[in-house]
């Protein structure tokens, strides 16, 4: 029987990324409060939040400074927009700080309310820019299979996950996908990471030439792929890709929605992986997830094109009501102050070896084919047979079962397509909490192995 609050939920809410049918039987995990890296359900049971909420609560839960910043701004100016030349100090201050932090030359900042909106704006501005430059054919955009860039019509088209396309009539025309840079799954026998990177770059170049370089506007990429499996690119990948993009005047857009603001031990993932993007998208950890806020960097060539279009059309016809919301901006300003004052980014880098060592130990587990990460993010892949890398049938939902066991152990992690499990704790996690996280995840894997044996699950047939 579902509790009263769970039954109310089932009858009133639609939950994103949820099996709506089975959910009617299982009901929700209803959380009531949080502190640090811990959240508590309505029965007072604690869970180590191993996903930082949804890759975002970098500063953990219950941060009183962020609460205070929101309350102060609510009392002073709870809402103001940026339309028609209006402004407010929180947005101005935040844009100034972000320009200073950006790892690439940046002329302006444009605010949105989410990562999906940020990437959607990137797409529109790419089209807008090429119209301004007299290149109306240069509109196609390439992203990667298993990449994740959002859920609007445009950004779900960028996203390279089948579940985001099936029966949604997506992707729309003009959105293309190239190979996922996953060495564990994609490399040929004996192929080094460097050789694999060069092969993927050659495949991208062939795809661009087949499409006609004069029709390709941009390449979108996450530094470390998030919802597609917490996948770290192979050595040399981005320099090899950048060389191809440079040859054909194709812009690189870095989707920093997950990796931005310290996740990889640097302010932005682009710095850690040798990317040279023209523009960046950001969101999530900018406010530590406390309020919705995202945005994009605008480089000078893009800004000049926007100015030309304003002259031509009489204005810049894009924006949303909550772009640069003053309360969200005030919280972001306080969050960035905390990041700097408390060396959060540097501390994340210092904790990363401990985190990655504990993650790597899981590779010895009989169910784990790959356990790899970077900074304070990691992914592992469950396999039925380690030598052949054969997986269980998708309908067995083995990773989902493991995540359920983890929740029973008092740990929240996330299952992803391909029987992968992601781990992405708040950046403020302490060493002993890292140990607790992986102890509980190991117990969940052990319970999953016992369940597999009991159910008699077999690997998928060999191809």
């Amino acid at each position: 029987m579902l509790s009263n609050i769970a039954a109310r939920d089932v009858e009133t809410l639609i939950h994103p990324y949820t099996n709506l049918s089975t959910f009617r039987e299982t009901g929700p995990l209803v959380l009531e409060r949080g502190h640090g890296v811990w959240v508590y359900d309505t029965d007072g049971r604690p869970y180590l939040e191993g996903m930082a909420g949804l890759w975002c609560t970098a500063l953990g839960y219950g941060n009183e400074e962020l609460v205070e910043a929101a309350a102060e701004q609510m009392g002073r100016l709870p809402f103001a927009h940026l339309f028609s030349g209006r402004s407010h100090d929180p947005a101005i201050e935040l844009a100034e700080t972000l320009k200073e932090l950006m790892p690439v030359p940046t002329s302006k900042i444009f605010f949105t309310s989410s990562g999906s909106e940020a990437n959607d704006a990137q797409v529109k501005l790419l089209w807008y820019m090429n119209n301004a430059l007299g290149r109306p054919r240069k509109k196609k955009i390439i992203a990667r299979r298993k990449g994740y860039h959002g859920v609007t019509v445009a950004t779900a088209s960028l996203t390279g996950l089948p579940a985001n396309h099936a029966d949604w009539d997506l992707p729309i025309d003009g959105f293309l996908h190239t190979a996922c840079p996953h060495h564990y799954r994609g490399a040929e026998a004996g192929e080094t990471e460097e050789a694999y990177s060069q092969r993927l770059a050659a495949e991208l170049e062939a795809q661009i030439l087949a499409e006609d370089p004069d029709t390709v506007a941009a390449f979108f990429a996450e530094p470390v792929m998030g919802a597609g499996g917490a996948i770290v690119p192979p050595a040399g990948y981005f320099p090899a890709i950048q060389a191809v993009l440079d040859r054909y005047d194709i812009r690189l857009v870095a989707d920093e929605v997950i990796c931005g603001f310290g996740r990889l031990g640097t302010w932005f993932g682009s710095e850690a992986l040798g990317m040279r993007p023209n523009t960046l998208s950001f969101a999530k950890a900018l406010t530590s997830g406390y309020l919705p806020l995202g945005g994009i960097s605008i480089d000078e060539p893009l800004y000049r094109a926007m100015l030309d279009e304003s002259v031509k059309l009489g204005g810049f016809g894009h924006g949303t009501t909550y772009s640069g919301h003053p309360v969200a901006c005030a919280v972001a300003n306080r969050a960035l102050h905390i990041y700097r004052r408390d060396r959060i980014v540097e501390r994340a880098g210092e904790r990363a070896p401990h985190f990655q060592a504990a993650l790597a130990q899981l590779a010895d587990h009989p169910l784990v084919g790959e356990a790899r990460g970077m900074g304070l993010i990691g992914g592992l892949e469950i396999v039925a047979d380690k030598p052949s890398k054969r997986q269980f049938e998708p309908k067995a939902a083995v990773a989902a079962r493991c995540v359920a066991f983890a929740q029973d152990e008092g740990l929240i992690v996330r299952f992803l397509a391909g029987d992968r499990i992601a781990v992405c704790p708040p950046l403020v996690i302490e060493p002993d909490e890292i140990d607790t996280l992986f102890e509980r995840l190991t117990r969940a894997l052990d319970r999953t192995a016992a369940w597999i044996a009991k159910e008699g699950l077999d690997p998928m047939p060999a191809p």
Side-chain angles (χ1 to χ4, degrees):
M1 295 290 293
L2 297 180
S3 67
N4 178 57
I5 193 169
R8 288 164 53 206
D9 177 292
V10 168
E11 294 305 322
T12 54
L13 288 175
I14 293 293
H15 288 261
Y17 290 96
T18 300
N19 185 315
L20 300 180
S21 177
T22 59
F23 175 71
R24 294 192 61 82
E25 303 299 323
T26 61
L29 170 64
V30 183
L31 300 176
E32 190 171 64
R33 61 188 176 89
H35 182 75
V37 301
W38 299 90
V39 292
Y40 300 81
D41 66 17
T42 49
D43 294 323
R45 187 183 179 199
Y47 301 83
L48 199 160
E49 189 23 298
M51 280 303 300
L54 204 58
W55 323 84
C56 55
T57 51
L59 297 176
Y61 294 81
N63 188 297
E64 292 296 333
E65 291 188 68
L66 299 184
V67 175
E68 177 186 353
E72 288 179 353
Q73 187 60 44
M74 287 284 283
R76 183 182 304 115
L77 182 67
F79 175 74
H81 60 77
L82 302 180
F83 282 45
S84 305
R86 294 190 186 180
S87 195
H88 50 79
D89 187 65
I92 297 167
E93 179 184 343
L94 182 57
E96 288 174 337
T97 303
L98 288 170
K99 276 189 64 174
E100 179 184 336
L101 290 174
M102 286 295 149
V104 293
T106 299
S107 177
K108 304 290 183 289
I109 299 293
F110 178 78
F111 288 120
T112 66
S113 298
S114 70
S116 288
E117 281 186 19
N119 284 324
D120 194 273
Q122 294 271 21
V123 170
K124 289 184 68 177
L125 287 172
L126 284 163
W127 296 340
Y128 197 65
M129 176 184 187
N130 281 316
N131 285 334
L133 295 176
R135 304 187 301 194
R137 296 177 61 239
K138 201 170 181 68
K139 300 290 177 61
K140 296 174 187 174
I141 301 174
I142 301 177
R144 291 151 338 149
R145 290 188 283 276
K146 293 192 177 182
Y148 186 86
H149 302 289
V151 293
T152 68
V153 170
T155 60
S157 295
L158 280 172
T159 291
L161 295 171
N164 293 93
H165 295 164
D167 288 346
W168 294 104
D169 292 347
L170 296 173
I172 57 176
D173 290 345
F175 291 86
L176 313 171
H177 294 89
T178 193
C180 170
H182 189 190
H183 185 265
Y184 176 76
R185 278 289 164 197
E188 297 173 353
E191 189 174 30
T192 66
E193 290 195 18
E194 292 80 1
Y196 179 53
S197 294
Q198 291 296 328
R199 177 161 65 85
L200 292 185
E203 290 177 4
L204 174 63
E205 183 165 25
Q207 183 179 15
I208 291 168
L209 290 171
E211 292 291 333
D212 180 355
D214 290 338
T215 69
V216 181
F219 181 83
F220 273 68
E222 305 157 273
V224 171
M225 301 174 85
I231 296 169
V232 178
Y237 174 76
F238 279 113
I241 293 296
Q242 188 75 61
V244 173
L245 302 180
D246 289 346
R247 272 197 289 277
Y248 301 106
D249 189 23
I250 295 172
R251 289 168 68 88
L252 173 60
V253 177
D255 183 340
E256 293 269 9
V257 171
I258 287 175
C259 295
F261 308 104
R263 180 54 55 185
L264 304 186
T266 52
W267 275 99
F268 292 93
S270 298
E271 300 168 275
L273 285 161
M275 299 174 71
R276 292 191 287 107
N278 297 92
T279 58
L280 280 70
S281 298
F282 52 84
K284 293 192 184 291
L286 175 58
T287 64
S288 191
Y290 279 44
L291 283 173
L293 183 64
I296 65 176
S297 67
I298 305 285
D299 64 347
E300 188 64 19
L302 175 54
Y303 177 59
R304 288 294 162 188
M306 293 164 69
L307 286 178
D308 290 343
E309 288 295 284
S310 286
V311 172
K312 172 187 172 184
L313 302 174
F316 174 60
H318 179 67
T320 57
T321 301
Y322 300 112
S323 299
H325 192 287
V327 181
C329 289
V331 171
N333 283 323
R334 189 68 61 89
L336 293 178
H337 171 72
I338 295 170
Y339 283 128
R340 286 171 149 174
R341 182 196 68 202
D342 296 347
R343 299 181 61 254
I344 298 296
V345 176
E346 293 82 358
R347 286 171 59 194
E350 292 162 4
R351 283 169 171 71
H354 184 175
F355 179 90
Q356 293 300 329
L359 174 68
Q361 287 181 357
L362 293 180
D364 295 330
H365 194 279
L367 285 182
V368 177
E370 181 188 45
R372 184 177 181 183
M374 187 174 186
L376 291 182
I377 187 172
L380 59 89
E381 185 166 320
I382 293 177
V383 294
D385 180 68
K386 294 180 78 158
S388 68
K389 303 182 185 178
R390 287 164 64 194
Q391 295 180 298
F392 293 99
E393 292 283 355
K395 65 182 179 181
V398 174
R401 177 69 64 159
C402 184
V403 167
F405 283 135
Q407 182 173 303
D408 194 50
E409 293 288 339
L411 170 66
I412 295 175
V413 287
R414 189 178 183 202
F415 69 88
L416 303 168
D419 269 343
R420 290 187 67 85
I421 294 173
V423 185
C424 180
L427 300 185
V428 295
I429 192 168
E430 297 290 347
D432 63 321
E433 293 168 330
I434 292 174
D435 294 337
T436 299
L437 188 160
F438 285 103
E439 287 165 4
R440 295 183 180 190
L441 184 52
T442 299
R443 290 201 297 270
L445 286 164
D446 290 342
R447 291 177 65 178
T448 305
W451 170 76
I452 289 169
K454 179 182 178 182
E455 296 294 320
L457 299 181
D458 295 319
M460 285 194 294

